[in-house]
Coordinates of all heavy atoms in Angstrom, one line a residue:
M190 N 29.9 180.2 140.9 CA 29.5 181.1 142.0 C 30.1 182.4 141.6 O 31.3 182.5 141.2 CB 30.1 180.5 143.2 CG 29.7 181.4 144.5 SD 30.3 180.7 146.1 CE 31.0 179.2 145.8
M191 N 29.4 183.5 141.8 CA 29.9 184.8 141.5 C 30.6 185.4 142.7 O 30.2 185.1 143.8 CB 28.7 185.8 141.2 CG 28.0 185.4 139.9 SD 26.8 186.8 139.6 CE 26.6 186.7 137.8
K192 N 31.7 186.1 142.4 CA 32.4 186.7 143.4 C 31.5 188.0 143.9 O 30.7 188.4 143.3 CB 33.8 187.3 143.0 CG 34.7 186.1 142.6 CD 36.0 186.6 142.3 CE 36.9 185.6 141.7 NZ 37.3 184.7 142.7
A193 N 31.9 188.5 145.2 CA 31.2 189.6 145.6 C 32.2 190.8 146.0 O 33.3 190.5 146.2 CB 30.4 189.2 147.0
M194 N 31.7 191.9 145.8 CA 32.5 193.1 146.1 C 31.8 193.8 147.2 O 30.7 194.1 147.3 CB 32.6 194.0 144.9 CG 33.4 195.2 145.1 SD 33.7 196.2 143.7 CE 34.8 195.2 142.6
E195 N 32.7 194.2 148.2 CA 32.3 195.1 149.4 C 32.8 196.4 149.1 O 34.0 196.5 149.0 CB 32.6 194.4 150.7 CG 32.4 195.3 151.9 CD 32.9 194.5 153.2 OE1 32.6 193.4 153.3 OE2 33.7 195.1 153.7
L196 N 31.9 197.4 149.3 CA 32.3 198.8 149.1 C 32.0 199.6 150.4 O 30.8 199.7 150.6 CB 31.7 199.4 147.8 CG 31.9 198.8 146.6 CD1 31.0 199.2 145.5 CD2 33.3 198.9 146.1
A197 N 33.0 199.9 151.1 CA 32.8 200.7 152.4 C 33.4 202.1 152.3 O 34.6 202.2 152.2 CB 33.2 199.9 153.5
R198 N 32.6 203.2 152.2 CA 33.0 204.5 152.1 C 33.0 205.1 153.5 O 32.0 204.9 154.2 CB 32.1 205.4 151.2 CG 32.6 206.8 151.0 CD 31.7 207.6 150.1 NE 31.7 207.0 148.8 CZ 32.0 207.7 147.7 NH1 32.4 208.9 147.8 NH2 31.9 207.2 146.6
F199 N 34.1 205.7 153.9 CA 34.2 206.2 155.3 C 35.1 207.3 155.4 O 35.9 207.6 154.4 CB 34.6 205.1 156.3 CG 36.0 204.5 155.9 CD1 37.2 204.9 156.5 CD2 36.1 203.4 155.0 CE1 38.4 204.4 156.2 CE2 37.2 202.8 154.7 CZ 38.4 203.3 155.2
T200 N 35.0 208.1 156.4 CA 35.9 209.3 156.7 C 36.9 209.1 157.8 O 36.6 208.2 158.8 CB 35.1 210.6 157.0 OG1 34.4 210.4 158.3 CG2 34.2 211.0 155.8
V201 N 38.1 209.5 157.7 CA 39.1 209.5 158.8 C 39.7 210.9 158.9 O 40.0 211.5 157.9 CB 40.2 208.5 158.3 CG1 41.4 208.5 159.3 CG2 39.6 207.1 158.2
D202 N 39.8 211.4 160.0 CA 40.5 212.6 160.3 C 42.0 212.7 159.9 O 42.6 211.6 160.0 CB 40.5 213.1 161.8 CG 39.1 213.4 162.2 OD1 38.3 214.0 161.4 OD2 38.9 213.3 163.5
P203 N 42.4 213.6 159.1 CA 43.8 213.6 158.5 C 44.8 213.3 159.5 O 45.8 212.6 159.2 CB 43.9 215.1 158.1 CG 42.6 215.4 157.6 CD 41.7 214.8 158.7
Q204 N 44.7 213.8 160.8 CA 45.7 213.4 161.7 C 45.7 211.9 162.2 O 46.7 211.5 162.9 CB 45.6 214.3 163.1 CG 44.3 214.0 163.9 CD 43.1 214.9 163.6 OE1 43.1 215.5 162.5 NE2 42.2 214.9 164.4
D205 N 44.7 211.1 161.8 CA 44.6 209.7 162.1 C 45.0 208.9 161.0 O 45.1 207.6 161.2 CB 43.2 209.4 162.6 CG 42.9 210.1 163.9 OD1 43.8 210.3 164.8 OD2 41.6 210.2 164.1
V206 N 45.4 209.3 159.9 CA 45.7 208.5 158.7 C 46.8 207.6 158.9 O 46.7 206.4 158.6 CB 45.9 209.4 157.4 CG1 46.4 208.7 156.3 CG2 44.6 210.1 157.0
E207 N 47.9 208.1 159.4 CA 49.0 207.1 159.5 C 48.7 206.1 160.5 O 49.2 204.9 160.2 CB 50.3 207.9 160.0 CG 50.9 209.0 159.0 CD 52.2 209.5 159.5 OE1 52.9 209.0 160.2 OE2 52.5 210.8 159.1
A208 N 48.1 206.3 161.5 CA 47.7 205.2 162.6 C 46.7 204.2 161.9 O 46.9 203.0 162.0 CB 47.1 205.9 163.9
M209 N 45.8 204.8 161.1 CA 44.8 204.0 160.4 C 45.5 203.0 159.4 O 45.3 201.8 159.4 CB 43.8 204.8 159.7 CG 42.6 204.0 159.0 SD 43.0 203.6 157.3 CE 43.0 205.3 156.5
L210 N 46.5 203.6 158.6 CA 47.2 202.8 157.7 C 48.0 201.8 158.4 O 48.3 200.6 157.9 CB 48.1 203.7 156.8 CG 47.4 204.6 155.9 CD1 48.3 205.6 155.1 CD2 46.5 203.8 154.9
A211 N 48.7 202.1 159.5 CA 49.5 201.2 160.3 C 48.7 200.0 160.8 O 49.3 198.9 161.1 CB 50.3 201.9 161.4
A212 N 47.5 200.1 161.0 CA 46.6 199.1 161.6 C 46.1 198.0 160.6 O 45.6 197.0 160.8 CB 45.5 199.7 162.3
R213 N 46.3 198.5 159.2 CA 45.7 197.7 158.1 C 46.3 196.3 157.9 O 45.7 195.4 157.7 CB 45.7 198.6 156.9 CG 44.7 199.7 156.8 CD 43.4 199.1 156.7 NE 42.4 199.9 156.9 CZ 41.3 200.0 156.0 NH1 41.2 199.3 154.9 NH2 40.2 200.7 156.5
P214 N 47.7 196.2 158.0 CA 48.3 194.9 157.7 C 47.9 193.8 158.7 O 47.5 192.7 158.2 CB 49.8 195.1 157.7 CG 49.9 196.6 157.4 CD 48.7 197.2 158.0
A215 N 47.6 194.1 159.9 CA 47.2 193.2 160.9 C 45.7 192.8 160.5 O 45.3 191.5 160.8 CB 47.4 193.7 162.3
M216 N 45.0 193.6 160.2 CA 43.5 193.4 159.8 C 43.5 192.5 158.6 O 42.8 191.5 158.7 CB 42.8 194.8 159.5 CG 41.4 194.5 159.2 SD 40.5 196.0 158.9 CE 41.0 196.5 157.1
V217 N 44.2 192.7 157.6 CA 44.2 191.9 156.4 C 44.7 190.6 156.8 O 44.1 189.5 156.3 CB 45.1 192.6 155.4 CG1 45.3 191.6 154.1 CG2 44.4 193.9 154.7
T218 N 45.7 190.4 157.6 CA 46.2 189.0 157.9 C 45.2 188.3 158.7 O 44.9 187.2 158.5 CB 47.5 189.3 158.9 OG1 48.5 189.8 158.1 CG2 47.8 187.8 159.4
A219 N 44.5 188.9 159.7 CA 43.3 188.4 160.4 C 42.2 187.9 159.5 O 41.6 186.8 159.6 CB 42.9 189.3 161.5
L220 N 41.8 188.8 158.5 CA 40.8 188.4 157.6 C 41.2 187.1 156.8 O 40.3 186.3 156.6 CB 40.4 189.6 156.6 CG 39.9 190.8 157.3 CD1 39.7 192.0 156.3 CD2 38.4 190.5 157.7
R221 N 42.4 187.2 156.3 CA 42.8 186.0 155.6 C 42.8 184.6 156.4 O 42.5 183.6 155.9 CB 44.3 186.2 155.1 CG 44.3 187.1 153.8 CD 45.9 186.9 153.3 NE 46.2 188.2 152.6 CZ 45.7 188.5 151.5 NH1 44.7 187.7 150.9 NH2 46.0 189.5 150.8
E222 N 43.1 184.8 157.6 CA 43.2 183.6 158.6 C 41.9 183.2 158.8 O 41.6 181.9 159.1 CB 44.0 184.0 159.8 CG 45.5 184.1 159.5 CD 46.3 184.6 160.7 OE1 45.7 184.9 161.8 OE2 47.5 184.6 160.6
R223 N 40.9 184.1 159.1 CA 39.5 183.8 159.6 C 38.5 183.3 158.5 O 37.7 182.4 158.7 CB 39.0 184.9 160.4 CG 37.6 184.4 160.9 CD 37.4 185.2 162.2 NE 35.9 185.0 162.7 CZ 35.3 185.6 163.5 NH1 35.9 186.6 164.2 NH2 34.1 185.3 163.9
F224 N 38.6 184.0 157.4 CA 37.6 183.8 156.3 C 38.3 183.3 155.0 O 39.0 184.0 154.3 CB 36.9 185.2 156.0 CG 36.3 185.8 157.1 CD1 36.8 186.9 157.7 CD2 35.1 185.3 157.6 CE1 36.2 187.5 158.9 CE2 34.5 185.8 158.7 CZ 35.0 187.0 159.3
S225 N 37.9 182.1 154.6 CA 38.5 181.4 153.4 C 38.0 182.1 152.3 O 38.7 182.0 151.1 CB 38.0 179.9 153.4 OG 36.7 179.9 153.3
G226 N 36.9 182.9 152.1 CA 36.4 183.5 151.1 C 37.0 185.0 150.8 O 36.7 185.5 149.8
F227 N 37.9 185.5 151.8 CA 38.5 186.7 151.6 C 39.5 186.6 150.5 O 40.5 185.7 150.6 CB 39.2 187.2 152.9 CG 40.0 188.5 152.7 CD1 39.3 189.7 152.8 CD2 41.3 188.5 152.6 CE1 40.0 191.0 152.7 CE2 42.1 189.6 152.5 CZ 41.5 190.8 152.6
E228 N 39.5 187.5 149.5 CA 40.4 187.4 148.4 C 41.4 188.7 148.4 O 42.5 188.5 148.2 CB 39.8 187.3 147.1 CG 39.0 185.9 147.1 CD 38.5 185.6 145.6 OE1 38.6 186.4 144.7 OE2 37.8 184.5 145.5
S229 N 40.8 189.8 148.5 CA 41.7 191.0 148.5 C 41.0 192.2 149.1 O 39.8 192.3 149.2 CB 42.2 191.4 147.0 OG 41.0 191.8 146.3
L230 N 41.8 193.2 149.5 CA 41.4 194.4 149.9 C 42.2 195.6 149.3 O 43.4 195.5 149.4 CB 41.4 194.5 151.5 CG 40.8 195.8 152.1 CD1 40.3 195.5 153.5 CD2 42.0 196.9 152.2
R231 N 41.5 196.6 148.8 CA 42.1 197.8 148.3 C 41.5 199.0 149.1 O 40.3 199.1 149.1 CB 41.9 198.0 146.8 CG 42.3 196.9 145.9 CD 43.8 196.9 145.7 NE 44.3 195.9 144.8 CZ 44.7 194.8 145.0 NH1 44.5 194.2 146.3 NH2 45.1 193.9 144.1
L232 N 42.4 199.9 149.5 CA 42.0 201.0 150.1 C 42.3 202.1 149.3 O 43.5 202.3 148.8 CB 42.8 201.3 151.6 CG 42.6 202.5 152.3 CD1 41.1 202.5 152.8 CD2 43.5 202.6 153.5
V233 N 41.3 202.9 149.0 CA 41.4 204.0 148.0 C 41.1 205.3 148.8 O 40.1 205.4 149.5 CB 40.4 203.8 146.9 CG1 40.4 204.9 145.8 CG2 40.5 202.5 146.3
R234 N 42.0 206.3 148.4 CA 41.8 207.7 149.1 C 41.0 208.5 148.1 O 41.5 208.7 146.9 CB 43.0 208.3 149.4 CG 42.9 209.6 150.0 CD 44.1 210.4 150.2 NE 44.3 210.4 151.6 CZ 45.4 210.7 152.3 NH1 46.6 210.9 151.6 NH2 45.4 210.8 153.6
L235 N 39.8 208.9 148.4 CA 39.0 209.8 147.5 C 39.3 211.3 147.6 O 39.2 212.0 146.7 CB 37.5 209.5 147.9 CG 37.2 208.1 147.6 CD1 35.6 207.8 147.9 CD2 37.3 207.7 146.2
D236 N 39.4 211.6 148.9 CA 40.0 213.0 149.1 C 40.6 213.0 150.4 O 40.9 212.0 151.0 CB 38.8 214.1 149.1 CG 37.6 213.8 150.1 OD1 37.9 213.4 151.3 OD2 36.5 214.0 149.7
E237 N 40.9 214.3 151.0 CA 41.7 214.3 152.3 C 41.2 213.6 153.4 O 41.9 213.0 154.3 CB 41.9 215.8 152.6 CG 42.7 216.0 154.0 CD 42.8 217.5 154.3 OE1 42.3 218.3 153.7 OE2 43.3 217.7 155.3
R238 N 39.9 213.5 153.5 CA 39.1 212.8 154.6 C 38.4 211.5 154.2 O 38.0 210.7 155.1 CB 38.1 213.7 155.3 CG 38.7 214.9 155.9 CD 37.6 215.9 156.5 NE 38.2 216.8 157.3 CZ 38.7 216.8 158.4 NH1 38.6 215.7 159.1 NH2 39.3 217.9 159.1
T239 N 38.1 211.3 153.0 CA 37.1 210.1 152.5 C 37.9 209.1 151.9 O 38.8 209.3 151.0 CB 36.2 210.7 151.6 OG1 35.6 211.9 152.0 CG2 35.0 209.7 151.3
W240 N 37.7 207.9 152.4 CA 38.2 206.5 151.8 C 37.3 205.7 151.4 O 36.1 205.7 151.8 CB 39.2 206.0 153.1 CG 40.2 207.0 153.5 CD1 40.0 208.1 154.3 CD2 41.6 206.9 153.2 NE1 41.2 208.7 154.6 CE2 42.2 208.0 153.9 CE3 42.3 206.1 152.5 CZ2 43.6 208.2 153.8 CZ3 43.7 206.3 152.5 CH2 44.3 207.3 153.1
L241 N 37.8 204.7 150.6 CA 36.8 203.6 150.1 C 37.7 202.3 150.3 O 38.8 202.1 149.8 CB 36.5 203.9 148.7 CG 35.6 202.9 148.0 CD1 34.2 202.8 148.7 CD2 35.4 203.1 146.6
D242 N 37.1 201.3 151.1 CA 37.6 200.0 150.9 C 36.8 199.2 150.0 O 35.7 199.2 149.9 CB 37.3 199.3 152.4 CG 38.4 199.3 153.4 OD1 39.5 199.7 153.0 OD2 38.0 199.2 154.6
V243 N 37.6 198.5 149.1 CA 37.1 197.6 148.0 C 37.6 196.3 148.3 O 38.8 196.0 148.3 CB 37.6 198.1 146.7 CG1 37.0 197.2 145.6 CG2 37.2 199.6 146.3
V244 N 36.6 195.4 148.8 CA 37.1 194.1 149.2 C 36.3 193.1 148.3 O 35.2 193.2 147.9 CB 36.6 193.8 150.6 CG1 37.1 192.5 151.1 CG2 37.0 195.0 151.6
I245 N 37.2 192.1 147.8 CA 36.7 191.0 147.0 C 36.5 189.7 147.9 O 37.4 189.5 148.6 CB 37.6 190.7 145.8 CG1 37.8 192.1 144.9 CG2 37.0 189.6 145.0 CD1 36.4 192.6 144.2
W246 N 35.3 189.2 147.8 CA 35.0 187.9 148.5 C 34.7 186.9 147.5 O 34.2 187.2 146.3 CB 33.8 188.1 149.4 CG 34.1 189.1 150.6 CD1 33.8 190.4 150.5 CD2 34.7 188.8 151.7 NE1 34.2 191.1 151.6 CE2 34.9 190.0 152.5 CE3 35.3 187.6 152.3 CZ2 35.4 190.1 153.7 CZ3 35.8 187.7 153.6 CH2 35.8 188.9 154.3
A247 N 34.9 185.6 147.8 CA 34.6 184.5 146.8 C 33.2 184.5 146.5 O 32.8 183.9 145.4 CB 35.2 183.1 147.5
S248 N 32.4 184.8 147.5 CA 30.9 184.7 147.3 C 30.1 185.8 148.1 O 30.7 186.3 149.0 CB 30.4 183.4 147.5 OG 30.2 183.2 149.0
R249 N 28.9 186.1 147.7 CA 28.2 187.0 148.5 C 27.9 186.6 150.0 O 27.8 187.2 150.9 CB 26.8 187.3 147.8 CG 25.7 188.2 148.4 CD 26.4 189.6 148.7 NE 25.5 190.4 149.5 CZ 24.6 191.2 149.0 NH1 24.5 191.4 147.7 NH2 23.8 192.0 149.8
A250 N 27.6 185.1 150.0 CA 27.3 184.6 151.4 C 28.5 184.8 152.2 O 28.3 185.1 153.4 CB 27.0 183.1 151.2
Q251 N 29.8 184.7 151.7 CA 30.9 184.8 152.5 C 31.1 186.2 152.8 O 31.6 186.5 154.0 CB 32.1 184.3 151.8 CG 32.0 182.8 151.7 CD 33.1 182.2 150.8 OE1 33.5 182.7 149.7 NE2 33.8 181.1 151.2
A252 N 30.8 187.1 152.1 CA 30.9 188.6 152.3 C 29.8 189.0 153.4 O 30.2 189.6 154.3 CB 30.6 189.4 151.1
D253 N 28.6 188.3 153.4 CA 27.6 188.7 154.4 C 28.0 188.1 155.7 O 27.9 188.7 156.8 CB 26.3 188.1 154.0 CG 25.6 188.9 152.9 OD1 26.1 190.0 152.6 OD2 24.8 188.3 152.1
E254 N 28.6 186.9 155.6 CA 29.1 186.3 156.9 C 30.2 187.2 157.7 O 30.2 187.4 158.8 CB 29.6 184.9 156.6 CG 30.3 184.3 157.8 CD 31.1 183.0 157.6 OE1 31.1 182.5 156.3 OE2 31.8 182.5 158.5
A255 N 31.1 187.5 156.7 CA 32.2 188.4 157.4 C 31.6 189.7 157.9 O 32.1 190.1 159.0 CB 33.3 188.7 156.3
A256 N 30.7 190.3 157.2 CA 30.1 191.7 157.6 C 29.5 191.5 159.0 O 29.5 192.4 159.7 CB 29.2 192.1 156.6
A257 N 29.0 190.3 159.2 CA 28.2 190.1 160.4 C 29.2 189.9 161.6 O 28.8 190.0 162.9 CB 27.3 189.0 160.4
T258 N 30.5 189.5 161.3 CA 31.4 189.1 162.5 C 32.7 190.0 162.6 O 33.3 189.8 163.5 CB 31.8 187.6 162.3 OG1 32.3 187.4 161.2 CG2 30.4 186.8 162.6
V259 N 33.0 190.7 161.6 CA 34.3 191.4 161.7 C 34.4 192.4 162.9 O 35.6 192.5 163.4 CB 34.7 192.2 160.4 CG1 34.9 191.3 159.2 CG2 33.7 193.2 160.0
G260 N 33.3 192.9 163.4 CA 33.4 193.7 164.5 C 33.7 193.0 165.7 O 34.2 193.8 166.8
D261 N 33.8 191.8 165.8 CA 34.3 190.9 166.9 C 35.7 190.7 166.9 O 36.3 190.2 167.9 CB 33.4 189.7 166.9 CG 32.0 189.7 167.1 OD1 31.6 190.8 167.7 OD2 31.3 188.9 166.6
M262 N 36.3 191.0 165.8 CA 37.9 190.7 165.6 C 38.6 191.9 166.2 O 38.5 193.0 165.6 CB 38.2 190.4 164.2 CG 37.4 189.2 163.6 SD 37.6 188.9 161.8 CE 39.3 188.7 161.6
P263 N 39.5 191.7 167.1 CA 40.4 192.8 167.6 C 41.2 193.5 166.6 O 41.2 194.8 166.7 CB 41.3 192.1 168.6 CG 40.7 190.8 168.9 CD 39.8 190.4 167.8
E264 N 41.7 192.9 165.6 CA 42.5 193.5 164.5 C 41.6 194.4 163.7 O 42.0 195.5 163.3 CB 43.2 192.4 163.6 CG 44.2 191.5 164.4 CD 43.4 190.3 165.0 OE1 42.2 190.3 164.9 OE2 44.1 189.3 165.4
C265 N 40.4 194.0 163.4 CA 39.5 194.9 162.7 C 39.0 196.0 163.5 O 38.9 197.1 163.0 CB 38.2 194.0 162.1 SG 38.7 192.8 160.9
R266 N 38.7 195.8 164.8 CA 38.3 196.9 165.7 C 39.5 197.9 165.7 O 39.1 199.1 165.7 CB 37.9 196.3 167.1 CG 36.5 195.7 167.1 CD 36.0 195.7 168.6 NE 37.0 195.1 169.5 CZ 37.2 193.7 169.8 NH1 36.4 192.8 169.2 NH2 38.1 193.3 170.6
A267 N 40.7 197.4 165.8 CA 41.8 198.4 165.9 C 41.9 199.3 164.6 O 42.1 200.5 164.7 CB 43.1 197.6 166.1
A268 N 41.7 198.7 163.4 CA 41.7 199.5 162.2 C 40.4 200.4 162.0 O 40.5 201.5 161.6 CB 41.8 198.5 161.0
F269 N 39.3 199.9 162.5 CA 38.1 200.6 162.4 C 38.0 201.7 163.5 O 37.2 202.8 163.3 CB 36.8 199.7 162.6 CG 36.7 198.7 161.6 CD1 36.0 197.6 161.9 CD2 37.3 198.6 160.4 CE1 35.7 196.5 160.9 CE2 37.2 197.7 159.5 CZ 36.3 196.5 159.7
A270 N 38.8 201.7 164.5 CA 38.8 202.8 165.5 C 39.1 204.1 165.0 O 38.6 205.2 165.7 CB 39.9 202.5 166.6
Y271 N 39.7 204.3 163.8 CA 40.1 205.6 163.3 C 39.0 206.1 162.3 O 39.1 207.2 161.9 CB 41.4 205.4 162.5 CG 42.5 205.1 163.5 CD1 42.9 203.8 163.6 CD2 43.0 205.9 164.4 CE1 43.9 203.3 164.5 CE2 44.0 205.5 165.3 CZ 44.4 204.3 165.4 OH 45.4 203.8 166.4
I272 N 38.1 205.3 162.1 CA 36.8 205.7 161.2 C 35.9 206.7 162.0 O 35.5 206.4 163.1 CB 36.1 204.6 160.7 CG1 37.0 203.7 159.8 CG2 34.9 205.0 159.9 CD1 36.3 202.5 159.3
K273 N 35.8 207.9 161.4 CA 35.0 208.9 162.1 C 33.5 208.6 161.7 O 32.7 208.8 162.5 CB 35.4 210.3 161.6 CG 34.7 211.4 162.4 CD 35.3 212.7 162.0 CE 34.6 213.8 162.9 NZ 35.2 215.0 163.0
E274 N 33.3 208.3 160.4 CA 31.9 208.1 160.0 C 32.0 207.1 158.8 O 32.7 207.1 157.9 CB 31.4 209.4 159.5 CG 29.9 209.3 158.9 CD 29.4 210.5 158.2 OE1 30.3 211.6 158.0 OE2 28.2 210.5 157.7
V275 N 31.1 206.2 158.9 CA 30.8 205.3 157.7 C 29.8 205.9 156.9 O 28.6 206.2 157.4 CB 30.2 203.9 158.2 CG1 30.0 203.0 157.0 CG2 31.4 203.3 159.1
V276 N 30.1 206.3 155.7 CA 29.2 207.1 154.8 C 28.3 206.0 154.1 O 27.1 206.2 154.0 CB 30.0 207.8 153.8 CG1 29.2 208.6 152.8 CG2 31.0 208.9 154.5
S277 N 28.8 204.9 153.7 CA 28.0 203.8 153.0 C 28.6 202.7 153.1 O 30.0 202.5 153.2 CB 27.8 204.2 151.5 OG 28.8 204.3 150.8
M278 N 27.9 201.5 153.1 CA 28.4 200.2 153.0 C 27.6 199.3 152.1 O 26.3 199.3 152.3 CB 28.5 199.4 154.4 CG 28.8 198.1 154.5 SD 30.5 197.9 154.2 CE 30.9 196.8 155.4
E279 N 28.2 198.8 151.0 CA 27.3 198.1 150.1 C 28.1 196.7 149.7 O 29.3 196.6 149.7 CB 27.1 198.8 148.8 CG 26.4 200.1 149.0 CD 26.3 201.0 147.7 OE1 27.4 201.4 147.3 OE2 25.2 201.2 147.3
H280 N 27.2 195.6 149.4 CA 27.7 194.5 148.8 C 27.1 194.3 147.5 O 26.0 194.6 147.3 CB 27.4 193.4 149.7 CG 28.2 193.3 151.0 ND1 27.7 193.8 152.2 CD2 29.5 192.9 151.3 CE1 28.6 193.7 153.1 NE2 29.8 193.2 152.6
A281 N 27.8 193.7 146.5 CA 27.3 193.5 145.2 C 28.0 192.2 144.7 O 29.1 191.9 144.9 CB 27.6 194.8 144.3
E282 N 27.2 191.7 143.6 CA 27.8 190.6 142.9 C 28.7 191.2 141.7 O 28.3 192.1 141.0 CB 26.8 189.7 142.4 CG 26.1 188.9 143.4 CD 25.0 188.0 142.9 OE1 24.6 188.1 141.8 OE2 24.6 187.1 143.7
V283 N 29.8 190.5 141.6 CA 30.6 190.9 140.4 C 30.2 190.1 139.2 O 30.3 188.9 139.1 CB 32.2 190.6 140.7 CG1 33.1 190.9 139.5 CG2 32.7 191.3 141.9
V284 N 29.8 190.9 138.2 CA 29.3 190.1 137.0 C 30.2 190.2 135.8 O 30.0 189.4 134.9 CB 27.9 190.8 136.5 CG1 26.8 190.4 137.7 CG2 28.0 192.2 136.2
F285 N 31.2 191.0 135.9 CA 32.2 191.1 134.9 C 33.5 191.6 135.5 O 33.5 192.6 136.3 CB 31.8 191.9 133.7 CG 32.9 192.1 132.6 CD1 33.1 191.0 131.7 CD2 33.8 193.2 132.6 CE1 34.1 191.2 130.7 CE2 34.8 193.2 131.8 CZ 35.0 192.3 130.8
A286 N 34.6 191.1 135.1 CA 35.9 191.6 135.6 C 36.9 191.4 134.5 O 37.0 190.4 133.9 CB 36.4 191.0 136.9
G287 N 37.6 192.4 134.1 CA 38.6 192.3 133.0 C 39.9 192.1 133.4 O 40.9 192.4 132.8
D288 N 40.1 191.4 134.6 CA 41.5 191.0 135.0 C 41.5 189.6 135.5 O 40.6 188.9 135.5 CB 41.9 191.9 136.2 CG 41.0 191.7 137.3 OD1 40.1 190.9 137.4 OD2 41.1 192.6 138.3
R289 N 42.6 189.1 135.7 CA 42.7 187.6 136.1 C 42.3 187.3 137.5 O 42.0 186.2 137.9 CB 44.2 187.2 136.1 CG 44.8 187.3 134.8 CD 46.2 186.8 134.7 NE 46.8 187.0 133.4 CZ 48.0 186.8 133.1 NH1 48.7 186.3 134.0 NH2 48.5 187.1 132.0
A290 N 42.1 188.3 138.4 CA 41.6 188.1 139.7 C 40.1 187.7 139.9 O 39.8 187.3 140.9 CB 41.9 189.4 140.6
A291 N 39.4 188.0 138.7 CA 38.0 187.7 139.0 C 37.6 186.4 138.8 O 38.1 185.4 138.5 CB 37.2 188.6 137.8

């Protein structure tokens, strides 16, 4: 079974960055507890306002299931509250990885 990668590009106002970052650990804990296919999340800052979540899931089906329900989770809603705009959201299959996590 191929792993899946979720790429979510979004913007956050600079004055909300600290609060957004503070909400992230609870969100990750909730994702781990609710979804057995959740493997990792990396938050990448692209510029002062633009961020990218890179999430690895055990499979595309698990990524799709999570995408359909994370908005119902209070910890995720709390972290997402600081997002000003979702620029893009994509899911893809990982076909090659040069690390041990793949």
Side-chain angles (χ1 to χ4, degrees):
M190 181 174 359
M191 289 187 161
K192 293 185 187 291
M194 181 177 288
E195 176 180 305
L196 301 167
R198 184 183 295 242
F199 57 92
T200 61
V201 175
D202 285 334
Q204 68 267 17
D205 293 334
V206 168
E207 286 186 36
M209 182 264 299
L210 293 174
R213 287 290 168 134
M216 180 179 76
V217 170
T218 298
L220 290 170
R221 284 191 201 290
E222 290 173 356
R223 181 154 177 192
F224 301 107
S225 63
F227 174 80
E228 295 191 3
S229 68
L230 182 149
R231 300 287 187 268
L232 176 64
V233 180
R234 177 182 253 166
L235 300 173
D236 60 39
E237 183 181 354
R238 295 180 175 275
T239 311
W240 299 78
L241 181 68
D242 268 338
V243 180
V244 187
I245 302 296
W246 295 94
S248 72
R249 176 65 185 262
Q251 290 169 318
D253 290 342
E254 174 192 352
T258 60
V259 292
D261 299 331
M262 299 172 63
E264 300 87 352
C265 293
R266 281 197 313 271
F269 298 160
Y271 301 101
I272 295 175
K273 184 169 184 166
E274 176 188 7
V275 176
V276 177
S277 65
M278 173 72 136
E279 299 174 299
H280 288 97
E282 291 181 341
V283 177
V284 296
F285 175 83
D288 62 11
R289 293 183 190 179

